[in-house]
Amino acid sequence: MDDRGESFVAVRRITQGFDRDGNCHSSSAEVVAGSAAWLGRGLSCVCVQGRENDARPSFDLTPPQEECLQRIQSRIDVSYDSSLPEHQEALKALWNAAFPGEELCGLISDQWKEMGWQGKDPSTDFRGGGFISLENLLYFARNFPKSFQDLLRKQEGDRAMWEYPFAVAGVNITFMLIQMLDLEAVKPRSLVGATFLKFLAENESAFDLLYCITFKLMDHQWLAMRASYMDFNAVMKSTRRQLEKELLEEDITRLEELPSYSLLSR
C-alpha cells in the first residue's frame, strides 16, 4: 500500500529469466499484488475518465459504421465466464502462445503470475475488461508474436526494478481504449471516436490492431519516461494523448499508417 492508502500491483524483474524446464513454478518475477490501483473500481486511478456533466456533441454514422459499432459493443458486453468451455480454451490458447512448450498445470495455478496476473486465477482480473480483453491479448500474441514476447519478457530498453505486470496492463489498455473511443455510447461523442469507426468499417479487426499499437506505444512511453510501477497512471495518460493525436492526423486512412504502428514487429 502506498502513502495515499492505495493498493498496487507490480512485478520485480529477476535477472535469471524464464525457467523452461517444464516444472510448474515461476522464477521469472516476483509479483506484488493488490487490486485497488489496477482493476475493478480502481481503474479510475489508471484510466482517464470522462468529465462530469459532459455535454459533448454526437456524430452521425453511416449504416455500415452503425453495424460495426453494434458488433464491437456486443463483444464489449461479454463478461469473462470461467465456466464456459470457449473461454477456458481461449485462456489456454493465451498460455500456449505466451509460453510455447511449457505445460500449464491448470486454469488456476501460480504459473499465471509469470504472465503478470495478480494471482493464480486470471479470471478475477478480467472483470475490468471482460472477455474482449482476453481476445485482445490473443490477437496480439498471434499477429505480432515478437512484440508480444518482447513486452511479456521486458526484453527491450533499460527496465525499471519494479515493472508493470504485463497481463494486468493489457486489461487496463482494453478498458482505456473503450473509454477513449466512447464505444459504449449510441453514437461517438468525440472526433477521435468518430474517426476510429471509419477505420473499423474498413477493417473488422481494427480494435484489436489498435490495441496492439497502444500496448507497444505504452511500453515505448514507459521507457522514455523511465517509469516505475507508481508511474503507470501518468504513462497511460501520456499514451492516450499521443494516440489521440495520431488518430486525428491528416491523411491517415489506415491504422497501419499511424506513426506508432512502426513500433510493432512480427
Side-chain angles (χ1 to χ4, degrees):
M1 188 168 289
D2 67 12
D3 56 6
R4 297 186 302 278
E6 297 173 346
S7 301
F8 58 82
V9 180
V11 174
R12 183 166 67 87
R13 297 178 63 242
I14 297 177
T15 57
Q16 287 89 338
F18 286 83
D19 183 357
R20 284 290 173 271
D21 60 7
N23 294 327
C24 295
H25 67 273
S26 168
S27 62
S28 62
E30 176 185 346
V31 178
V32 178
S35 60
W38 291 82
L39 291 171
R41 61 185 176 84
L43 278 166
S44 60
C45 300
V46 176
C47 300
V48 181
Q49 302 294 307
R51 298 179 179 85
E52 293 182 2
N53 303 319
D54 199 346
R56 293 172 291 174
S58 62
F59 292 79
D60 290 332
L61 303 176
T62 64
Q65 289 171 349
E66 287 184 357
E67 185 177 340
C68 289
L69 179 58
Q70 290 169 1
R71 283 201 298 267
I72 193 72
Q73 287 174 340
S74 295
R75 291 179 63 192
I76 292 169
D77 288 341
V78 178
S79 299
Y80 181 84
D81 186 342
S82 59
S83 69
L84 292 178
E86 176 188 356
H87 292 196
Q88 295 174 7
E89 291 305 313
L91 191 56
K92 292 176 185 176
L94 178 62
W95 175 268
N96 291 332
F99 305 114
E102 181 174 336
E103 183 179 357
L104 178 64
C105 294
L107 292 180
I108 298 178
S109 168
D110 282 329
Q111 286 175 287
W112 289 109
K113 297 177 185 178
E114 193 172 333
M115 195 184 295
W117 299 104
Q118 294 188 99
K120 61 176 63 177
D121 184 3
S123 67
T124 61
D125 291 342
F126 285 122
R127 293 170 185 165
F131 185 61
I132 193 173
S133 58
L134 173 53
E135 292 179 316
N136 289 157
L137 282 166
L138 260 178
Y139 182 92
F140 193 11
R142 289 168 171 169
N143 290 272
F144 299 95
K146 184 179 186 307
S147 288
F148 181 91
Q149 290 291 335
D150 286 345
L151 298 188
L152 172 64
R153 302 167 188 263
K154 306 295 191 299
Q155 290 181 329
E156 294 184 341
D158 184 12
R159 313 303 307 198
M161 176 61 73
W162 290 94
E163 280 283 331
Y164 64 84
F166 172 79
V168 176
V171 175
N172 273 271
I173 289 170
T174 297
F175 182 90
M176 183 269 282
L177 286 175
I178 292 170
Q179 299 300 305
M180 183 187 84
L181 301 172
D182 208 16
L183 292 177
E184 294 180 295
V186 175
K187 294 181 179 181
R189 295 168 294 178
S190 67
L191 183 56
V192 69
T195 299
F196 172 74
L197 287 180
K198 295 178 181 178
F199 297 130
L200 189 61
E202 298 295 328
N203 177 6
E204 63 180 12
S205 298
F207 185 77
D208 302 274
L209 177 56
L210 186 61
Y211 172 89
C212 300
I213 295 170
T214 305
F215 210 144
K216 188 64 177 177
L217 174 60
M218 185 278 290
D219 189 73
H220 181 76
Q221 299 283 79
W222 178 275
L223 292 173
M225 296 169 65
R226 302 183 66 84
S228 188
Y229 69 90
M230 290 303 294
D231 303 312
F232 189 77
N233 185 23
V235 172
M236 287 288 281
K237 289 180 179 179
S238 177
T239 301
R240 174 170 174 163
R241 286 193 298 268
Q242 179 62 28
L243 195 61
E244 289 175 328
K245 177 183 176 182
E246 293 187 14
L247 284 168
L248 296 178
E249 285 187 8
E250 294 183 4
D251 301 325
I252 298 291
T253 60
R254 303 184 311 134
L255 291 178
E256 290 86 348
E257 296 172 356
L258 294 177
S260 291
Y261 177 82
S262 63
L263 297 172
L264 287 168
S265 54
R266 296 182 186 274

